[in-house]
Amino acid sequence: MRVLLTGAAGFIGSHIHRAARAAGHEVVAVDLMLAAAHGTAAVPPAGIARVDVRDPNGLDDLLRGIDVVCHQAAVVGAGVSAQDAPAYASHNDLGTAVLLAAMERAHCRHLVLASSMVVYGEGKYVDSSGAQVDPAPRQRHDLDNGRFDHRGPDGRPLCWAPIDEDAPLRPRSLYAASKVAQEHYALAWAAATGGTVTALRYHNVYGPDMPRDTPYSGVAAIFRSALEAGDAPRVFEDGTQARDFIHVRDIAAANVAALEHPLGAFTPLNIASGNPITIGEVATVLAKACGGKQPVVTGDYRSGDVRHIVASPERARRTLGFMAITTPALGLAEFATAPLRPAAAAGAPTW
């Protein structure tokens, strides 16, 4: 197939680029090379064109003869400042809308969209009897006193449960709001055109070539940088926050599977390892693998952080035949000494 890959020079996009070509696909690779992701003097790597997906004229030329679009281009992160909102809306949401309109003009009817676990907001919780509970926001006075778990009506801590794709979308950050909007635009586009969209909701992605620590990078890279500096990784809360960490090679494999197997009009899929791990365990595995200092559990917290979010990967297994092959324990041990990208510019781009 002939694939248009946006965001091809990014951390995830570069792995998808290699995997799709290795699978025998012809890849038309593009990236805007934003300074926030690549640095101020970055130039596109060989074989990647500098293209802004918000430019309809440029897209019309690129989409001729394209069978499927793999849309990875986005401003990423948790939305560190409210001033980042225009950048998310412009690059993520307007960019997706312009791309979808261009796909319709080109009669390209298959999209693989990079989405995220952040669309769920809080994860899924059950009380001491096993009944599902929609938790109230955690209160500052509880957090200040080291009470980090959500609590049920009986006052007991709630337990996490794997979340599936039918859970309501409840974004809690600017980035999350932009990913929900991307999904909604894609859903409406599929209904209007008869196209197919597979929205891959990535969980915590890590692996070689991950960006170094910035306010927009993942916690695994932040722990890595602390260890390289000879410092102990600093773990927030009590370290028992549950997450699903998935290796970037598995993310690339999921994208190739989605390119090759169009599903229904709009199909969201959790892309996760299926092997939950706590943030404290992540720091411990990394420290042990590189012989660094043991983590320090600080009890500090960040307002708005999600306590637990763990996915069920069952639908991706059933529909795409996709299963992650790298467990977090093995993958994180490898990641402890893997090459990382240098830190780029701080902050989101201007819109």
Side-chain angles (χ1 to χ4, degrees):
M1 289 189 299
R2 197 159 187 258
V3 179
L4 174 62
L5 172 63
T6 71
F11 164 48
I12 293 174
S14 60
H15 283 269
I16 295 171
H17 191 190
R18 290 190 289 272
R21 292 180 64 189
H25 301 297
E26 179 185 355
V27 181
V28 178
V30 302
D31 199 295
L32 183 54
M33 302 301 296
L34 287 170
H38 302 283
T40 55
V43 296
I48 299 177
R50 188 189 296 269
V51 171
D52 189 339
V53 295
R54 298 169 299 176
D55 175 14
N57 295 324
L59 290 177
D60 285 341
D61 292 336
L62 282 171
L63 280 162
R64 292 194 183 98
I66 293 293
D67 299 302
V68 54
V69 173
C70 186
H71 185 34
Q72 305 294 316
V75 174
V76 301
V80 176
S81 165
Q83 298 306 308
D84 294 344
Y88 287 115
S90 177
H91 289 274
N92 298 3
D93 304 335
L94 175 62
T96 298
V98 172
L99 175 62
L100 291 169
M103 289 177 65
E104 195 276 334
R105 291 193 298 274
H107 306 289
C108 180
R109 295 289 188 264
H110 181 29
L111 174 70
V112 176
L113 174 67
S115 189
S116 170
M117 68 178 188
V118 297
V119 299
Y120 298 121
E122 294 288 354
K124 182 178 178 181
Y125 296 85
V126 295
D127 64 15
S128 55
S129 70
Q132 186 170 339
V133 176
D134 189 8
R138 297 186 293 173
Q139 300 301 309
R140 184 174 294 275
H141 64 83
D142 286 331
L143 298 172
D144 286 340
N145 287 283
R147 294 188 293 270
F148 300 114
D149 282 312
H150 293 283
R151 295 184 178 271
D154 59 3
R156 297 181 182 179
L158 299 177
C159 297
W160 62 263
I163 198 164
D164 64 30
E165 294 85 351
D166 295 327
L169 306 187
R170 294 173 175 168
R172 290 170 51 92
S173 69
L174 298 171
Y175 173 61
S178 75
K179 301 310 285 186
V180 170
Q182 283 184 299
E183 287 200 14
H184 286 170
Y185 275 112
L187 172 61
W189 171 85
T193 65
T196 62
V197 177
T198 305
L200 303 181
R201 293 175 178 165
Y202 304 155
H203 284 250
N204 295 77
V205 187
Y206 70 97
D209 205 30
M210 191 176 186
R212 287 189 177 274
D213 53 313
T214 76
Y216 301 87
S217 66
V219 68
I222 294 172
F223 289 161
R224 262 285 309 268
S225 292
L227 290 162
E228 286 180 352
D231 298 327
R234 294 177 60 81
V235 179
F236 283 5
E237 301 189 14
D238 59 3
T240 65
Q241 309 93 300
R243 298 289 189 274
D244 191 304
F245 279 73
I246 179 162
H247 199 282
V248 69
R249 288 192 298 263
D250 287 320
I251 291 285
N255 274 272
V256 172
L259 292 171
E260 296 174 344
H261 301 97
L263 301 173
F266 181 85
T267 307
L269 297 175
N270 286 326
I271 304 301
S273 74
N275 292 278
I277 189 171
T278 69
I279 297 298
E281 289 171 331
V282 171
T284 299
V285 169
L286 291 172
K288 181 178 179 181
C290 69
K293 292 182 178 178
Q294 286 300 299
V296 173
V297 177
T298 67
D300 295 338
Y301 64 89
R302 293 180 297 185
S303 179
D305 270 3
V306 171
R307 177 60 174 166
H308 305 295
I309 182 162
V310 171
S312 167
E314 173 59 23
R315 185 177 294 179
R317 184 199 65 77
R318 189 175 67 250
T319 59
L320 283 183
F322 168 77
M323 293 180 65
I325 61 173
T326 302
T327 65
L330 292 176
L332 287 164
E334 171 198 294
F335 177 68
T337 55
L340 299 183
R341 293 182 178 219
T350 58
W351 66 295

